[in-house]
Amino acid sequence: MKLFDLTGRVAVVTGGNGGIGLGMALGMAEAGATIVVAGRDAAKNQAAVKQIQGAGAKASAIPVDVLEEESCRALIADTVKAHGRLDILVNNAGMSIRKQPEQYTLAEWHTVMDSNLTSAFLCSHAAYPAMKKGGAGKIINIGSMMSIFGAPFATAYAASKGGMVQMSKAMATAWAKDNIQVNAILPGWIDTALTRRAREQITGLHESVLKRTPAARWGVPDDFAGIAVFLAAAASDFVTGAAITVDGGYSVQG
Ligand code: NDP
């Protein structure tokens, strides 16, 4: 179906070498996109490329550290050099430092904000000229339940993820004239390396998530294939500035 066809499109996925990023990459690859996997860990990058290629799609890796401006700019420049275009940017790389606010150092604050929010600004800023030149673009920013809620251990993380939603809205208004749609996905609790660490650190987290989630399960990376394809494809051409929860109903449970 043309509405969901990504044949000939080139997609960069930061943090595409595992977890939610890889789930989205595999979905877009199945819809025909060429995937550029962009993470720090070379072994994980290569394993992800192999997995995507194994599914019959085109994929390559470009190592990136999204904490470095030059690395973000090189990622986009090298993608355009290799493929001649950039259609889809997924700003998914992210991390958390779980501490009470009073225990945070300024350096830790900046690490979380720069990994999660500034990186998305930088990659989008670098991607804009190529998307404008191509006459279209799709930017997908990964927020969180912490874009909506607060938690004692999540001061910097919640600030960064709330910022992702507001930045998406602002960029959506700025770049609509260029036919670039900018949207955010807000995942619920998903079983990945990130939350495996959280489950070790936060007693009772596993059970409380199960109890509150109407779907009665943790999410899995595959749950993000469909929403990524939708937001990357023509099907969403009139959807911009939205923040879409993919959470099994977690955020609407009273
Ligand atoms: P993972 O830890 O599996 O993935 C995080 C990804 O980000 C990795 O691929 C990692 O690559 C990459 N990354 C982190 N820092 C950098 C950096 N400085 N430069 C380049 N890449 C970096 O966790 P998830 O899949 O769970 O997380 C993906 C996104 O989803 C994050 O933004 C997270 O905040 C968000 N999210 C996750 C939820 C969940 O329940 N799991 C819920 C809500 C949001 P590498 O290993 O190579 O450094």
Side-chain angles (χ1 to χ4, degrees):
M1 196 199 302
K2 261 198 143 157
L3 274 179
F4 296 95
D5 185 11
L6 298 180
T7 306
R9 308 284 166 83
V10 174
V12 168
V13 185
T14 69
N17 61 17
I20 293 172
L22 182 54
M24 293 188 288
L26 284 164
M28 293 189 293
E30 199 182 319
T34 296
I35 307 294
V36 175
V37 171
R40 282 175 301 196
D41 184 319
K44 275 172 67 186
N45 283 353
Q46 283 317 317
V49 165
K50 251 188 154 175
Q51 196 177 337
I52 297 165
Q53 288 173 341
K58 288 187 202 145
S60 59
I62 297 180
V64 67
D65 183 348
V66 297
L67 284 167
E68 303 292 335
E69 177 179 359
E70 281 319 308
S71 188
C72 292
R73 297 203 181 281
L75 165 65
I76 302 300
D78 291 351
T79 298
V80 174
K81 205 168 159 193
H83 300 284
R85 58 190 296 143
L86 172 61
D87 305 283
I88 302 152
L89 168 66
V90 184
N91 290 310
N92 163 78
M95 51 82 73
S96 181
I97 298 174
R98 282 177 210 89
K99 281 184 172 184
Q100 288 281 126
E102 68 274 18
Q103 289 165 349
Y104 250 83
T105 65
L106 184 59
E108 288 167 337
W109 167 268
H110 282 306
T111 299
V112 176
M113 293 299 283
D114 292 353
S115 297
N116 298 357
L117 181 59
T118 309
S119 64
F121 167 74
L122 283 173
C123 290
S124 303
H125 186 271
Y128 173 71
M131 290 182 170
K132 186 179 177 188
K133 195 172 162 208
K138 300 281 189 180
I139 298 177
I140 303 170
N141 293 322
I142 306 307
S144 161
M145 288 297 100
M146 291 298 143
S147 301
I148 311 172
F149 302 120
F153 54 83
T155 297
Y157 187 78
S160 71
K161 294 301 190 177
M164 282 294 251
V165 170
Q166 293 306 106
M167 187 179 73
S168 301
K169 291 179 188 173
M171 285 184 176
T173 64
W175 294 343
K177 66 176 173 37
D178 303 304
N179 192 26
I180 298 169
Q181 288 80 48
V182 187
N183 291 291
I185 298 172
L186 313 187
W189 287 92
I190 317 303
D191 184 16
T192 65
L194 190 92
T195 49
R196 258 163 250 148
R197 279 194 301 275
R199 272 185 276 186
E200 282 161 22
Q201 289 172 5
I202 307 164
T203 319
L205 176 67
H206 179 72
E207 294 72 20
S208 70
V209 167
L210 281 183
K211 197 169 160 216
R212 177 167 172 161
T213 305
R217 65 170 175 88
W218 280 63
V220 292
D222 281 354
D223 288 320
F224 292 83
I227 188 75
V229 171
F230 171 64
L231 290 178
S236 62
D237 278 354
F238 202 54
V239 179
T240 198
I244 301 174
T245 55
V246 178
D247 65 352
Y250 182 93
S251 59
V252 296
Q253 177 74 275

